[in-house]
Amino acid sequence: MTRLFQTNELRKVTLLDGMWDFTPVDANDVNLGQLSYAYKLAVPGCWEMHPELLTYRGSGAYRKRVTIKEKTSLRFVFKGVSHTAKVYFDGKLITEHYNAYTAFDAIVDEAEAGEHELIVLADNSFGEFSALHIPNDYYTYGGINRPVSMEEVKSLFIERLAFTPVWENGGWRGIVQAYVRNIGVEEQVYRLSFELGGKVMDLGEGRAAAGNNSVSDATFDFSEAEAWSPENPVLYMLKARLLVDNANVDDLIERVGFRAVTTKDGKIQLNGQEIVFKGVNRHEDHPMVGSAIPLQLMAVDADLITDMGCNSVRTSHYPNDELFLDLCDERGILVWEENHARGLSLEQMRNPNFRWQCEQVNREMVEQHYNHPSIVIWAILNECASDTAEGREMYKEQLEQIRALDASRPLTFASHHRAKELCFDLADIVSFNLYPGWYGDEDPGELCDLARGWADAIGGLGKPMIMSEFGGDGYYGHRDPSRVRGTEERQADIIEANLSAYTSRPFISGMFIWQYCDCRVTEGTDWLITRAGTQNSKGIVDRYRRPKLAYSVVQRYFKADAKQN
């Protein structure tokens, strides 16, 4: 399953999830024809879940045999491979991709009928070639960690749709863009039609040059549309059909919502109403499945998050699986989604691969997740070198890139530089990662007031403010009346002190607790060695989703606040 709804009625799509052949390989000496596959591994999955590969870091080859009944062009869609991938079809390299957390595709033009061999080389190793995947405060698992599908397509097909809701003059409009891809050798003429909420619009004739994309757009007046909100998450099916010579040749279906996000007078508004984010930071991590979270466990996460009284989640620190975003769309959970970069120093940002790898993940994140109404904030570069002049240029470059891709959502980044921050003027929302009570003995309220003052003085005057991280370690089951560091009691005290301060300050537009669940971290030197059991244990629930004492504290503040509103 790649989505929670049917994405095509005409195009034939085959899900390739299941058991694939697998073997570790030497990335520098791979002969595809001589590989011997020692294992059968589940896809989606992470190879660390196999008892003989618990800490394996390197390269591995996955093999799947596919059969097609008649000659056709194929489009393979990979929702995520960690963290670099090379894809081969019958021994021929058809694509390469970097980054575990965004999707990519591979085209095979006019494959013959019969059985074919699909091989994916995945690599989760660290090195200069990888600027974003580094030893970090979360674990980079290896493997095909998100779904894979095989689509049978014509030489002309709809690659993607982009839907932008607009509130204007007391009514809703929908702006739709369709990206039509021509993998043929000749220019092709086509017609496009859209259906949204029972309304049909014919866009007329379009042309796509050989080997290129063509963009067609339309605007729907939809004054009777119901607005999407956490209280009423109304969704509509957007259907596009592609016609050549008056015959239907392809289709694509998206699910969309009508809502508008603004930042005015130091607050954040959804559909004109002020909102306060009450949320958690969530890593895709579970001890039984690694980062390949199945729908059943995603639903458990969504249930627990909303049971705590949360109305939002931050996808720390990478784009999330689209199935989870679908759940957020359905349940009205607001999403802050961010690109993949955490805690990089200026030296690390100078890696020659940093700029292009960020550009790619930013573009793929926005284009692939553009239609989710639950996503209301885009963010970049958590706790990187935004306190330096050189770093500022990179922040500016990336924020401008995302704004050019999507002007309908506000932008932010999470900073821990306090008064030394240099980039608040570039963002729409100022966000602070501060840990009073854990990394220092500061009073949360006093520190929060200081942060507002810093923001006002260094470019954030008049902008909404979010406390994007706060919390402390609490080891599940470690309870002691001494309330010393690491006990569940001490963690609950820290969370309560922070929530008491932030919920009582009208200038706070949001708070995201670090973190929803405990997660595995990279075993390493320096500060990583301080993570007992190679875990970040600041979760409100543990890795198995068992609530800690802080869970009821969060409920008390977030649910009481909801009743007051």
Side-chain angles (χ1 to χ4, degrees):
M1 177 183 292
T2 62
R3 303 297 300 275
L4 291 186
F5 58 91
Q6 185 177 346
T7 58
N8 301 89
E9 294 172 339
L10 295 176
R11 186 188 306 177
K12 183 178 179 181
V13 180
T14 302
L15 197 62
L16 298 184
D17 294 359
M19 303 307 294
W20 290 44
D21 301 322
F22 176 81
T23 184
V25 298
D26 181 351
N28 298 315
D29 185 23
V30 181
N31 186 324
L32 298 181
Q34 295 182 357
L35 292 179
S36 176
Y37 295 88
Y39 305 95
K40 292 277 190 180
L41 296 188
V43 170
C46 303
W47 59 52
E48 289 89 347
M49 299 303 106
H50 192 283
E52 296 178 16
L53 302 167
L54 297 174
T55 59
Y56 178 65
R57 190 163 297 281
S59 295
Y62 286 83
R63 180 179 67 181
K64 181 80 169 179
R65 290 190 169 91
V66 298
T67 302
I68 53 176
K69 294 182 179 180
E70 57 186 21
K71 186 175 182 178
T72 184
S73 293
L74 299 174
R75 180 185 185 224
F76 293 97
V77 179
F78 296 85
K79 289 291 188 174
V81 178
S82 183
H83 57 250
T84 64
K86 294 183 178 180
V87 182
Y88 298 83
F89 185 80
D90 291 341
K92 179 183 177 181
L93 179 67
I94 56 175
T95 198
E96 300 181 54
H97 185 261
Y98 173 81
N99 202 285
Y101 307 111
T102 49
F104 63 97
D105 68 4
I107 300 292
V108 178
D109 191 21
E110 296 189 346
E112 298 291 339
E115 185 179 83
H116 300 273
E117 183 182 67
L118 184 67
I119 293 179
V120 179
L121 295 185
D123 190 338
N124 74 334
S125 59
F126 301 132
E128 285 299 310
F129 58 88
S130 174
L132 307 182
H133 291 268
I134 62 171
N136 221 319
D137 204 16
Y138 54 93
Y139 195 84
T140 302
Y141 291 92
I144 305 176
N145 60 338
R146 291 180 181 171
V148 184
S149 59
M150 179 179 71
E151 303 176 353
E152 297 182 23
V153 296
K154 309 294 184 182
S155 59
L156 194 71
F157 63 92
I158 305 170
E159 186 171 61
R160 65 183 178 93
L161 301 174
F163 175 80
T164 307
V166 178
W167 176 259
E168 193 172 74
N169 299 323
W172 288 106
R173 291 188 298 118
I175 301 172
V176 185
Q177 292 177 302
Y179 293 78
V180 178
R181 186 169 175 181
N182 183 0
I183 60 174
V185 295
E186 296 179 351
E187 180 184 70
Q188 297 196 58
V189 179
Y190 63 86
R191 296 181 69 88
L192 262 176
S193 68
F194 291 113
E195 180 182 341
L196 179 64
K199 292 188 174 184
V200 178
M201 177 176 287
D202 189 330
L203 268 66
E205 188 176 281
R207 293 178 179 272
N212 283 295
N213 277 15
S214 174
V215 183
S216 298
D217 57 75
T219 299
F220 287 81
D221 287 319
F222 212 106
S223 57
E224 67 273 29
E226 289 189 70
W228 183 97
S229 68
E231 300 77 23
N232 190 37
V234 179
L235 298 167
Y236 294 89
M237 305 308 295
L238 172 64
K239 299 182 178 182
R241 292 229 169 189
L242 182 68
L243 296 87
V244 175
D245 295 330
N246 294 319
N248 289 315
V249 297
D250 193 40
D251 73 328
L252 187 60
I253 303 170
E254 276 285 2
R255 198 171 61 175
V256 302
F258 289 83
R259 57 101 188 91
V261 189
T262 52
T263 55
K264 298 177 182 178
D265 303 320
K267 302 288 186 179
I268 302 172
Q269 299 83 27
L270 182 69
N271 304 325
Q273 301 296 314
E274 290 183 2
I275 56 170
V276 174
F277 295 93
K278 297 170 292 182
V280 287
N281 292 270
R282 173 183 177 267
H283 270 299
E284 293 181 323
D285 188 87
H286 191 283
M288 300 303 293
V289 294
S291 61
I293 309 292
L295 176 61
Q296 295 91 328
L297 289 179
M298 291 182 194
V300 168
D301 285 353
D303 288 340
L304 291 173
I305 288 169
T306 53
D307 182 61
M308 278 191 282
C310 298
N311 65 2
S312 51
V313 64
R314 176 182 175 213
T315 69
S316 50
H317 297 290
Y318 38 77
N320 269 201
D321 190 314
E322 201 156 25
L323 278 173
F324 183 72
L325 299 176
D326 282 345
L327 279 173
C328 292
D329 290 341
E330 291 184 356
R331 299 186 182 210
I333 300 173
L334 302 167
V335 176
W336 156 332
E337 184 161 69
E338 65 188 39
N339 71 357
H340 179 217
R342 181 216 164 269
L344 302 180
S345 66
L346 181 58
E347 181 181 359
Q348 289 170 314
M349 292 169 71
R350 287 170 174 162
N351 182 315
N353 294 305
F354 174 78
R355 275 187 147 106
W356 79 259
Q357 288 175 352
C358 282
E359 186 281 332
Q360 177 181 282
V361 69
N362 291 344
R363 173 171 37 82
E364 292 176 341
M365 173 182 73
V366 174
E367 290 181 352
Q368 293 167 15
H369 296 168
Y370 189 93
N371 296 321
H372 291 278
S374 59
I375 298 177
V376 293
I377 295 174
W378 296 123
I380 64 168
L381 303 179
N382 174 79
E383 292 188 359
C384 295
S386 56
D387 61 333
T388 67
E390 190 175 343
R392 175 184 165 85
E393 289 305 308
M394 300 184 204
Y395 272 74
K396 182 174 185 290
E397 181 180 283
Q398 294 192 35
L399 289 168
E400 288 178 349
Q401 178 202 1
I402 294 180
R403 206 179 302 279
L405 292 168
D406 179 14
S408 70
R409 293 174 171 94
L411 308 182
T412 193
F413 62 91
S415 170
H416 67 319
H417 296 302
R418 301 191 173 204
K420 296 180 180 179
E421 178 57 56
L422 296 181
C423 297
F424 279 153
D425 63 307
L426 303 176
D428 302 305
I429 301 166
V430 297
S431 301
F432 284 95
N433 291 353
L434 300 171
Y435 286 84
W438 184 251
Y439 293 123
D441 295 328
E442 296 150 305
D443 176 85
E446 293 175 1
L447 185 59
C448 181
D449 293 339
L450 283 172
R452 181 70 262 183
W454 297 330
D456 291 347
I458 54 178
L461 183 65
K463 296 183 179 183
M465 176 173 155
I466 289 176
M467 305 305 292
S468 40
E469 289 184 24
F470 56 93
D473 283 343
Y475 301 105
Y476 180 81
H478 180 31
R479 300 184 181 182
D480 193 284
S482 67
R483 310 183 94 83
V484 296
R485 291 169 69 86
T487 61
E488 287 192 42
E489 289 89 348
R490 180 67 165 270
Q491 181 194 35
D493 291 345
I494 291 170
I495 295 298
E496 175 147 29
N498 278 264
L499 291 181
S500 176
Y502 306 149
T503 56
S504 65
R505 281 165 168 74
F507 61 82
I508 294 296
S509 291
M511 59 211 82
F512 290 88
I513 300 166
W514 189 269
Q515 58 182 333
Y516 163 62
C517 64
D518 293 347
C519 69
R520 181 177 179 179
V521 305
T522 310
E523 185 172 11
T525 56
D526 196 36
W527 62 272
L528 282 172
I529 206 166
T530 66
R531 297 293 191 216
T534 62
Q535 288 190 80
N536 187 314
S537 298
K538 292 182 176 65
I540 303 301
V541 300
D542 76 346
R543 293 184 72 199
Y544 289 95
R545 279 46 177 179
R546 296 176 296 186
K548 303 176 190 177
L549 291 176
Y551 189 98
S552 60
V553 173
V554 177
Q555 279 185 321
R556 179 154 39 89
Y557 277 88
F558 283 175
K559 287 195 169 182
D561 191 46
K563 290 177 182 177
Q564 291 172 6
N565 293 341

